[in-house]
Amino acid sequence: MTGAKRKKKNVLWSKMHTPHWEDFKQWCRKRLPILEWAPHYNLKENLLPDTVSGIMLAVQQVTQGLAFAILSSVHPVFGLYGSLFPAIIYAMFGMGHHVATGTFALTSLISANAVERLVPLSVQNLTTQSNTSVLGLSDFEMQRIGVAAAVSFLGGVIQVAMFVLQLGSATFLLTEPVISAMTTGAATHVVTSQVKYLLGMKIPYISGPLTFFYIYAYVFENIKSVRLEALLLSLLSITVLVLVKELNEQFKRKIKVVLPVDLVLIIASSFACYCTSMEKTYGLEVVGHIPKGIPPPRAPPMHVLSAVITEAFGVALVGYVASLALAQGSAKKFKYSVDDNQELLAHGLSNVIPSFFFCIPSAAAMGRTAVLYSTRAKTQVACLISCIFVLLVIYAIGPLLYWLPMCVLASIIVVGLKGMLIQFRDLKKYWNVDKIDWGIWVSTYVFTICFAANVGLLFGVVCTIAIVIARFPRAKTLSIKNIKEMEFKVKTEVDGETLKQVKIVSINNPLVFLNVKKFHTDLINIIQKENASNLLLDDISKCEQNTLLSPLSNGNCSEEASQPCQNEKCSLILDCSGLTFFDYSGVSMLVEVYMDCKNQSVDVSLAHCTASLIKAMKYHGNLDSEKPIFFESVSAAISNIHSNKNLSKLSDHSEV
């Protein structure tokens, strides 16, 4: 008997630990999303828009690659490599359909700190001027890209380690106000870094705290050294870019292909500079020599890893946060899901592998995502097509960019940051919804421009956690007695037939960034079960029960009062008497729940709402103004549903 049991146990153990081919395939599809969507790619419907998007994206990748490489204090050609290899890696491992990974302003600024610290300009005079075997570049240039590649490598390793530890779920700590303030502050830093090119000035490299103020102080002290030609060309370029982009946005529904104004401006300015010899005549700074081809891979210098740990952590956190925000926004817009941990793996590999090909740190950028939106890209094929055109630039067109004026390139970068800079408009929204979030936005922005993006991000997260901890002790939950009293009123005041069509969900916790995802997931699951069910419950008491939704619990609702309504529209009542406080994320989620339910033909009513919650929701979202949404009590909400039902029946009867 004992031997038989042991044999049976061994068989079960072997079954549990024997890998199956199906499990391996499923794991591959999960970790390589390209295996999931590529076999189902629709050539007829998607290839043309993806090709057009790929061409437009390639223009953006090339211009940003050149500019952000200079921002990283390395040779411009390395920016072209940084626009190629990370995009290919992310297309295979990433889940964002409208996310294009490449060079990124924020990560370039961070890596520039390490480059300028370890290989300053003063070293250029001490090193030999002989060219290396890599593209004919000097030893000084190769030392600089070695440091930048080391930052990319170590930053990617940190991201992959975060994936292994499943830290992607910790992104709930990164609230919308914090991300918005950090990216806006970082965009302000990038604009500041381009001032010397826009004005044609020679500004020494300045780093450390309060760099933002020191740069502008230097500009005003040396205002007489501004080159009028560079300033006029910058103003003309910015004006043309803004006007044409606004016209493209205005008439995007009427025109099939938007005008590639960036490409036109690059060609026109380069040709004008070549014909008029602006470089010699007016002293305009140009991009310079761009060597052809891609050098063989080489490992980043491992001996400098210990010296770039600070910058690597900055690249890992800031790059991932900015990229994840774009991926989640894209997923929300086009109705698909994004795995936070998978994005960590995708961006980690997009930094580790390209670092062997002389690439600077990479991440997704809002400008490239905006291009994919405006050109109606469908899938990641658009990014892969853009890589073909970037390769064409690397092997053929690159040397022709020699005469591209730096002031024009800086103008393209500044206009491309418009999406980040206009986030200043969010201040009015945060003030009207939650003044504490407004304060977090302002303080995070101030810390970002005074110190750095990673410091601002850390401050925003710590500040948000501290405020939530301070507010949570004031939270009150509904007692069982109050719930029973509410049920009694519902039973006595309204007939049971109406209750069959109503689902009551009582929120008994504050609704803040910590629990909004859980709240949304549980609530939508309840509604989906409601619509999917085909069997009517016989027990009328089950139709009258409440569901206590506790977003901070272990994931299960205490009850599931579900009753299908196949012929009539279902109604959902959210009892907000236990919602003692909320933040901007909580209001956003309530509005999103309202819109999702409306799309699923579910009427939503909110009971026991505070005046501040009503004001915040009305300001934040386009709520249905024709029907009342907010009620003083659950009984009033059900009575309203009952009266609407009677009116509907009366209308149907009169039509007959």
Side-chain angles (χ1 to χ4, degrees):
M1 195 68 182
T2 305
K5 286 184 178 180
R6 187 182 294 113
K7 185 177 180 182
K8 185 177 181 181
K9 184 178 180 181
N10 291 335
V11 170
L12 291 172
W13 181 262
S14 62
K15 286 183 178 180
M16 288 173 61
H17 291 270
T18 302
H20 296 283
W21 175 245
E22 288 298 325
D23 295 336
F24 177 73
K25 287 198 299 183
Q26 186 177 359
W27 183 88
C28 288
R29 283 196 297 268
K30 184 178 180 181
R31 296 304 168 208
L32 278 166
I34 192 172
L35 300 178
E36 192 71 32
W37 59 263
H40 307 290
Y41 186 77
N42 191 325
L43 287 172
K44 186 176 181 181
E45 292 184 5
N46 298 338
L47 185 59
L48 180 59
D50 280 345
T51 302
V52 173
S53 298
I55 296 172
M56 299 299 296
L57 179 61
V59 175
Q60 192 91 335
Q61 288 274 38
V62 170
T63 54
Q64 290 186 347
L66 295 173
F68 294 157
I70 295 171
L71 192 61
S72 287
S73 300
V74 300
H75 193 279
V77 72
F78 299 119
L80 296 179
Y81 305 154
S83 300
L84 174 66
F85 294 104
I88 297 174
I89 302 299
Y90 183 83
M92 293 189 293
F93 290 91
M95 299 184 71
H97 299 173
H98 296 78
V99 174
T101 302
T103 55
F104 185 44
L106 311 188
T107 55
S108 296
L109 276 174
I110 294 172
S111 66
N113 293 333
V115 172
E116 292 289 348
R117 189 180 74 252
L118 298 178
V119 192
L121 282 171
S122 57
V123 177
Q124 189 173 13
N125 300 325
L126 302 176
T127 56
T128 59
Q129 297 299 316
S130 61
N131 294 336
T132 64
S133 58
V134 181
L135 302 175
L137 297 175
S138 65
D139 292 330
F140 174 74
E141 293 291 354
M142 296 310 299
Q143 288 178 21
R144 287 202 147 193
I145 187 57
V147 174
V151 173
S152 177
F153 174 80
L154 187 55
V157 169
I158 292 171
Q159 289 174 327
V160 173
M162 292 170 67
F163 160 75
V164 174
L165 297 174
Q166 297 291 290
L167 295 181
S169 56
T171 53
F172 68 88
L173 295 172
L174 306 170
T175 62
E176 185 176 332
V178 171
I179 295 175
S180 173
M182 184 272 292
T183 53
T184 306
T188 307
H189 274 300
V190 176
V191 171
T192 302
S193 69
Q194 299 299 306
V195 165
K196 61 180 180 181
Y197 301 119
L198 295 172
L199 302 179
M201 295 179 65
K202 297 289 185 182
I203 300 178
Y205 181 79
I206 303 173
S207 62
L210 306 180
T211 298
F212 175 83
F213 302 100
Y214 289 137
I215 290 176
Y216 284 107
Y218 183 90
V219 169
F220 286 113
E221 288 174 2
N222 300 272
I223 196 71
K224 293 182 180 179
S225 63
V226 173
R227 289 190 178 275
L228 186 61
E229 298 84 3
L231 177 59
L232 292 175
L233 187 55
S234 299
L235 291 174
L236 178 63
S237 300
I238 291 174
T239 303
V240 171
L241 287 167
V242 171
L243 284 176
V244 176
K245 286 179 182 289
E246 286 296 324
L247 290 173
N248 283 339
E249 187 68 22
Q250 193 79 16
F251 299 101
K252 64 181 180 181
R253 295 184 179 179
K254 297 181 180 180
I255 55 178
K256 293 184 178 180
V257 181
V258 296
L259 177 65
V261 61
D262 295 11
L263 179 61
V264 173
L265 186 62
I266 289 172
I267 295 173
S269 59
S270 299
F271 183 73
C273 185
Y274 171 75
C275 294
T276 59
S277 299
M278 289 184 185
E279 181 187 6
K280 297 179 180 178
T281 307
Y282 303 109
L284 286 181
E285 188 175 356
V286 296
V287 170
H289 174 62
I290 305 292
K292 288 183 180 180
I294 299 176
R298 178 189 296 179
M302 299 299 171
H303 64 276
V304 302
L305 293 183
S306 59
V308 298
I309 291 178
T310 304
E311 288 80 10
F313 269 101
V315 164
L317 295 177
V318 174
Y320 173 66
V321 168
S323 303
L324 182 64
L326 291 173
Q328 290 177 337
S330 170
K332 185 176 179 180
K333 184 180 180 69
F334 296 98
K335 307 298 181 185
Y336 62 89
S337 60
V338 169
D339 183 357
D340 297 349
N341 285 303
Q342 179 64 24
E343 289 297 292
L344 271 174
L345 176 64
H347 289 291
L349 295 178
S350 296
N351 276 310
V352 171
I353 298 175
S355 67
F356 289 82
F357 294 89
F358 306 96
C359 292
I360 60 179
S362 65
M366 185 179 290
R368 294 193 290 267
T369 298
V371 167
L372 293 174
Y373 283 169
S374 62
T375 53
R376 304 177 183 90
K378 302 296 183 182
T379 65
Q380 281 284 6
V381 171
C383 297
L384 295 175
I385 291 175
S386 74
C387 293
I388 298 174
F389 289 94
V390 172
L391 269 175
L392 183 64
V393 172
I394 292 173
Y395 279 96
I397 306 175
L400 299 178
L401 297 173
Y402 179 97
W403 292 278
L404 175 61
M406 286 300 301
C407 59
V408 174
L409 190 59
S411 301
I412 294 174
I413 298 305
V414 170
V415 174
L417 293 170
K418 176 189 170 186
M420 289 186 181
L421 294 173
I422 62 175
Q423 291 179 133
F424 278 110
R425 297 185 302 188
D426 293 344
L427 281 172
K428 182 180 178 182
K429 176 175 64 177
Y430 295 130
W431 179 264
N432 285 278
V433 175
D434 185 15
K435 291 178 176 57
I436 292 179
D437 278 340
W438 181 89
I440 291 174
W441 197 102
V442 172
S443 57
T444 301
Y445 176 79
V446 170
F447 264 74
T448 301
I449 64 170
C450 289
F451 300 99
N454 50 347
V455 177
L457 179 65
L458 180 61
F459 170 81
V461 171
V462 172
C463 187
T464 304
I465 294 173
I467 289 173
V468 170
I469 291 174
R471 293 171 80 182
F472 252 108
R474 301 181 332 202
K476 298 178 181 178
T477 57
L478 289 177
S479 65
I480 299 299
K481 180 181 178 182
N482 290 338
I483 295 170
K484 294 297 182 182
E485 289 176 357
M486 182 181 68
E487 289 180 352
F488 177 75
K489 290 179 181 179
V490 169
K491 290 177 183 177
T492 55
E493 294 179 9
V494 183
D495 59 282
E497 186 180 355
T498 302
L499 286 175
K500 290 184 180 180
Q501 315 302 328
V502 179
K503 185 165 195 62
I504 305 169
V505 175
S506 180
I507 307 173
N508 62 343
N509 276 295
L511 199 55
V512 293
F513 71 96
L514 289 169
N515 58 1
V516 288
K517 286 187 178 180
K518 177 74 169 57
F519 171 82
H520 181 266
T521 302
D522 286 351
L523 192 58
I524 294 302
N525 286 340
I526 292 171
I527 295 169
Q528 288 174 346
K529 289 178 182 178
E530 184 91 13
N531 293 336
S533 177
N534 293 320
L535 298 175
L536 292 173
L537 297 177
D538 296 327
D539 190 356
I540 195 68
S541 63
K542 291 184 180 179
C543 303
E544 298 168 349
Q545 64 185 334
N546 284 30
T547 299
L548 296 179
L549 185 63
S550 179
L552 298 178
S553 64
N554 59 4
N556 296 320
C557 302
S558 58
E559 295 183 27
E560 285 191 8
S562 61
Q563 181 67 26
C565 40
Q566 300 168 353
N567 300 322
E568 300 183 45
K569 185 180 277 191
C570 293
S571 298
L572 173 68
I573 298 176
L574 294 178
D575 178 17
C576 302
S577 55
L579 206 164
T580 51
F581 68 86
F582 54 87
D583 63 2
Y584 181 83
S585 300
V587 175
S588 300
M589 185 54 68
L590 281 175
V591 174
E592 183 179 340
V593 164
Y594 173 81
M595 299 306 298
D596 287 345
C597 292
K598 187 177 178 182
N599 293 335
Q600 296 186 39
S601 299
V602 177
D603 284 333
V604 179
S605 302
L606 286 86
H608 296 116
C609 296
T610 60
S612 58
L613 177 61
I614 295 173
K615 178 184 175 183
M617 288 189 65
K618 285 182 176 179
Y619 181 83
H620 185 278
N622 298 319
L623 303 179
D624 195 344
S625 58
E626 297 179 0
K627 310 185 207 178
I629 300 172
F630 304 100
F631 299 92
E632 294 181 357
S633 64
V634 174
S635 302
I638 296 180
S639 298
N640 179 71
I641 295 169
H642 181 61
S643 60
N644 288 340
K645 177 185 169 186
N646 290 338
L647 286 174
S648 178
K649 286 184 177 180
L650 185 61
S651 176
D652 294 341
H653 181 70
S654 61
E655 289 178 5
V656 174

